[in-house]
Amino acid sequence: MTNKELAEFMFPNITKTIADLEKEYPERPEGTIVTRYAPSPTGFMHIGNFYQVVVNYLLAKQSDGVFFLRNEDTDQKREIEGAVEYIMHVLEHYKFIPDECEIKNGETRGNYGPYIQSERKEIYHAFIKHLISEGKAYPCFLTQEEMDSIRESQTRDKRRIGIYGRYAKYRNLPIEEAAERVKNGEPFVIRLKSEGNFNTKFKFEDLAFGTMEMPENDIDTVIMKSSNQLPTYHFAHLVDDHLMRTTHVIRGQEWVSSVPTHYELFKMFGFKMPKYVHTPLILKKDGDKIRKISKRLDPEARMTYYEEKGYPIYSVIEAIMTIANSNYEQWREGHPDAPFTEFEFSPKKMSASGALFDLDKLDNISKNYLSKLKATEVFDLLDTWSKEYDKEFNELINKDKEYTTNILNIEREQKKPRKDYAYMAEVKNYIWYMYDELFTNPEYQFDEKFSKDDINEVLNTYFESYYDENDDKDTWFNKMKDMAEKLGYETNMKEYKEHPEAKKGSIADVSNIIRVGVTSLSQTPDLYIILKLLGKDRIKNRLDMLK
Ligand code: GLU
């Protein structure tokens, strides 16, 4: 029996050849950069994955290239329900829309699909069949127990772990015997018959990590699993990225150690390898230490975090960009209003030693960004976020949309706008006191040096005899000054600092009593505007609460 006959015997229904498939998946127009995000639906998206998405998208879009999404679902035991939908949701939310992908209802966008690995079984089998027929792959019948015992002995003897050389027991099994075992239904995997030599090094150029020297692969890597006859990641990567004509593979640095396997696979088929960009680990500061960000320990490692908090998409992308390229921040200073896509991204400027992601920095970016938006834009963000995450608040802000917008407009649309909140979930903390529905049992922060009588005197006099909601700011302030003098408070702050004992308090104390009286807080934005927005009726109710 020949290898070709074995291949035919094992894959009788696979009639397409590699040459046929090459025709079905033609080369893309010369010079097109083709990138792909290729997640396995085995978990929810990590910030590191998002970083890869951003890099994928930028590389493709900055060159009029193609960015596609491929669902790598060959590990079906580990698949998590809803993971694919969530990935698509994130891409849509951040507007990284793939040019090619599976869309809902079984429809496909793009000519290089299916973009879902479990639907490409026959394509992989054509490639595997070819390798078997050339004697470059073989069925392996090692049982789990045998493999465990190989691993134990390798560990004990301090040898490299894996099926290679003398451990590759079925590598040279007579073809007839292999066929016989397959016929008898013995479980098997297909392994690559590696031709590499571990003592020979090859050079590999990674666009982010630079030139690396690595030993050749000599492991008979599994290329097809026994359970579902689907390929392993290594083999699927070769087939898909070759046929889909990927030019740049952007993936996590955990894959660097697999490069020798991929190098050998591409060489075996005589295919050109794509370029590789291995993305660095995302790090975070933890006290004095810097460590890898962890899905288990750090809520911000999951992409769900940013949506739950209601960060604008701009802020999250911007924070990623600052860690993706070291010169991004400098560019941003010179181009404050440009879309991030105008920045000339270069994988060479990615830090290979890890990317430090800092939530404080994200918050700063976000506060800055939000402070420059129009109140109506902030309202829309708040509305969208609260609809999903705080329904009660959503009803409240929509009860009088104009009132809410005016609140959001306090100290906005001016040269130095206020920078209070970084994300929507914290907006309520800054504006709650403007809503009677939330102002039910406030803790008043009056200065303890004033008695209840002092407080009542200021509030009653002010609101009964002075306050007029139609006053302009100067009149408003002059009136307060006037009243302060009459009630025995110092209006000259310099004077007051020198002789604090001479008067009951200062004009600042007067305005603070008013501020606390109507908001309960000793610090708020512009009191003049707050009073104007609250209006007579609300103020009256609040004064009644104090009685
Ligand atoms: N499915 C692999 C992963 O999720 C993809 C790696 C790659 O991009 O090639 O890690």
Side-chain angles (χ1 to χ4, degrees):
M1 194 179 207
T2 61
N3 283 317
K4 206 163 178 315
E5 283 162 347
L6 176 65
E8 206 50 58
F9 166 69
M10 292 182 76
F11 295 99
N13 300 325
I14 300 299
T15 49
K16 273 188 193 161
T17 63
I18 295 181
D20 297 332
L21 289 163
E22 296 277 6
K23 275 192 218 119
E24 278 178 38
Y25 295 86
E27 301 261 5
R28 310 232 188 201
E30 174 96 32
T32 312
I33 289 193
V34 182
T35 67
R36 86 293 190 278
Y37 176 50
S40 303
T42 51
F44 282 84
M45 209 196 253
H46 185 272
I47 182 92
N49 300 132
F50 187 67
Y51 179 117
Q52 286 148 20
V53 169
V54 175
V55 175
N56 265 298
Y57 182 82
L58 275 179
L59 278 184
K61 292 297 137 188
Q62 297 198 324
S63 63
D64 264 336
V66 175
F67 162 58
F68 71 83
L69 171 70
R70 184 171 67 227
N71 178 357
E72 303 214 323
D73 63 342
T74 60
D75 196 352
Q76 293 179 319
K77 274 187 272 166
R78 289 179 52 223
E79 195 160 329
I80 284 183
E81 215 189 296
V84 177
E85 288 73 17
Y86 182 68
I87 289 161
M88 205 55 210
H89 163 79
V90 172
L91 297 186
E92 277 167 10
H93 181 69
Y94 290 94
K95 304 194 169 46
F96 294 125
I97 309 295
D99 301 303
E100 300 175 7
C101 63
E102 296 299 320
I103 36 183
K104 284 173 206 138
N105 319 323
E107 274 177 69
T108 303
R109 181 161 66 223
N111 297 326
Y112 288 76
Y115 299 90
I116 172 163
Q117 290 186 328
S118 57
E119 289 177 17
R120 298 172 63 79
K121 205 183 226 174
E122 293 189 347
I123 300 175
Y124 304 124
H125 284 184
F127 281 69
I128 293 172
K129 185 173 182 181
H130 171 82
L131 279 190
I132 294 177
S133 73
E134 299 253 298
K136 292 178 176 172
Y138 64 92
C140 169
F141 305 92
L142 283 174
T143 61
Q144 193 55 49
E145 291 74 41
E146 283 175 294
M147 301 231 292
D148 291 345
S149 109
I150 291 174
R151 175 177 275 270
E152 269 168 36
S153 81
Q154 286 170 335
T155 313
R156 195 181 50 233
D157 302 343
K158 298 201 166 48
R159 287 178 190 274
R160 280 186 296 125
I161 306 289
I163 304 302
Y164 56 92
R166 66 190 165 101
Y167 302 107
K169 186 169 148 190
Y170 293 98
R171 203 179 146 94
N172 295 315
L173 194 69
I175 302 172
E176 284 74 15
E177 200 185 321
E180 192 59 28
R181 284 177 177 241
V182 172
K183 200 152 115 203
N184 292 340
E186 249 186 75
F188 66 90
V189 297
I190 308 273
R191 287 186 187 273
L192 174 74
K193 202 182 234 180
S194 173
E195 296 167 355
N197 178 346
F198 187 71
N199 296 316
T200 307
K201 297 230 157 77
F202 69 97
K203 279 210 171 99
F204 173 76
E205 182 74 25
D206 182 279
L207 292 192
F209 285 63
T211 309
M212 290 188 260
E213 245 198 359
M214 308 181 114
E216 282 183 3
N217 172 60
D218 67 346
I219 294 194
D220 284 0
T221 310
V222 175
I223 57 175
M224 190 186 92
K225 298 180 271 190
S226 70
S227 52
N228 52 12
Q229 304 229 309
L230 280 169
T232 53
Y233 164 70
H234 306 298
F235 200 73
H237 158 46
L238 161 99
V239 174
D240 291 346
D241 284 321
H242 174 68
L243 289 182
M244 295 176 179
R245 311 295 174 181
T246 304
T247 59
H248 291 67
V249 169
I250 293 135
R251 62 182 182 189
Q253 79 167 48
E254 67 274 16
W255 293 112
V256 168
S257 58
S258 304
V259 164
T261 308
H262 303 160
Y263 182 80
E264 180 171 23
L265 281 171
F266 276 92
K267 209 165 78 178
M268 250 183 195
F269 281 96
F271 297 155
K272 186 168 175 247
M273 255 184 130
K275 292 194 167 73
Y276 287 79
V277 182
H278 286 99
T279 59
L281 290 176
I282 309 286
L283 308 174
K284 76 169 266 166
K285 263 207 206 106
D286 186 356
D288 301 337
K289 275 190 302 198
I290 288 186
R291 63 164 173 81
K292 191 176 145 188
I293 208 165
S294 133
K295 256 190 185 177
R296 199 170 48 83
L297 300 173
D298 312 308
E300 75 271 25
R302 296 165 182 259
M303 286 315 287
T304 42
Y305 177 83
Y306 305 93
E307 260 185 89
E308 279 162 18
K309 291 267 177 188
Y311 279 99
I313 63 170
Y314 173 94
S315 315
V316 181
I317 297 173
E318 195 71 5
I320 292 293
M321 289 303 293
T322 61
I323 60 170
N325 257 190
S326 48
N327 56 332
Y328 184 75
E329 277 178 275
Q330 203 186 352
W331 173 83
R332 178 50 90 201
E333 272 170 34
H335 305 81
D337 301 319
F340 75 100
T341 41
E342 279 179 16
F343 169 74
E344 232 173 89
F345 175 80
S346 159
K348 292 202 172 73
K349 293 199 179 107
M350 279 165 70
S351 140
S353 58
L356 187 63
F357 185 75
D358 182 354
L359 274 185
D360 289 339
K361 183 154 203 170
L362 168 66
D363 282 358
N364 273 336
I365 290 172
S366 204
K367 279 182 188 175
N368 240 324
Y369 170 70
L370 285 171
S371 77
K372 288 187 201 145
L373 295 184
K374 290 207 174 69
T376 48
E377 293 172 310
V378 180
F379 180 88
D380 289 344
L381 288 175
L382 188 62
D383 185 33
T384 310
W385 172 83
S386 57
K387 228 177 241 147
E388 185 76 25
Y389 297 100
D390 189 346
K391 290 218 163 56
E392 243 173 71
F393 191 46
N394 184 261
E395 271 171 36
L396 199 53
I397 63 168
N398 275 295
K399 232 177 172 175
D400 184 346
K401 198 169 155 175
E402 198 186 325
Y403 180 61
T404 301
T405 312
N406 286 336
I407 295 170
L408 296 171
N409 204 30
I410 299 175
E411 293 183 44
R412 181 179 293 283
E413 295 184 31
Q414 59 190 35
K415 199 153 173 234
K416 279 209 167 149
R418 224 183 145 78
K419 294 175 187 171
D420 283 333
Y421 28 83
Y423 48 87
M424 295 304 120
E426 63 176 357
V427 172
K428 198 200 236 169
N429 282 344
Y430 286 92
I431 64 171
W432 64 274
Y433 57 84
M434 297 300 285
Y435 298 93
D436 287 346
E437 290 84 343
L438 302 176
F439 196 83
T440 47
N441 193 13
E443 251 181 61
Y444 290 95
Q445 300 174 348
F446 286 115
D447 187 333
E448 279 170 11
K449 76 181 178 199
F450 299 108
S451 67
K452 201 153 188 287
D453 286 346
D454 291 331
I455 292 169
N456 283 338
E457 183 185 36
V458 169
L459 291 175
N460 292 340
T461 317
Y462 180 66
F463 286 108
E464 274 162 24
S465 318
Y466 286 85
Y467 185 64
D468 180 342
E469 56 184 356
N470 298 318
D471 285 343
D472 64 19
K473 197 163 183 177
D474 285 341
T475 317
W476 170 79
F477 189 68
N478 288 334
K479 276 188 177 176
M480 191 147 56
K481 238 166 122 180
D482 214 35
M483 177 187 79
E485 255 161 33
K486 288 219 170 79
L487 297 182
Y489 292 82
E490 179 59 68
T491 54
N492 181 329
M493 286 311 284
K494 195 165 162 258
E495 183 68 31
Y496 183 67
K497 275 199 185 112
E498 278 163 23
H499 304 289
E501 69 297 335
K503 297 270 170 89
K504 231 192 248 180
S506 72
I507 173 88
D509 291 320
V510 170
S511 80
N512 221 34
I513 289 172
I514 298 173
R515 186 188 308 276
V516 180
V518 297
T519 67
S520 79
L521 304 175
S522 59
Q523 279 179 359
T524 69
D526 193 331
L527 181 60
Y528 168 73
I529 306 210
I530 287 180
L531 292 174
K532 218 176 168 64
L533 287 181
L534 283 173
K536 259 205 174 113
D537 294 344
R538 269 197 202 88
I539 291 175
K540 189 177 171 312
N541 288 339
R542 291 184 182 201
L543 295 182
D544 288 346
M545 282 171 78
L546 273 168
K547 277 182 185 150

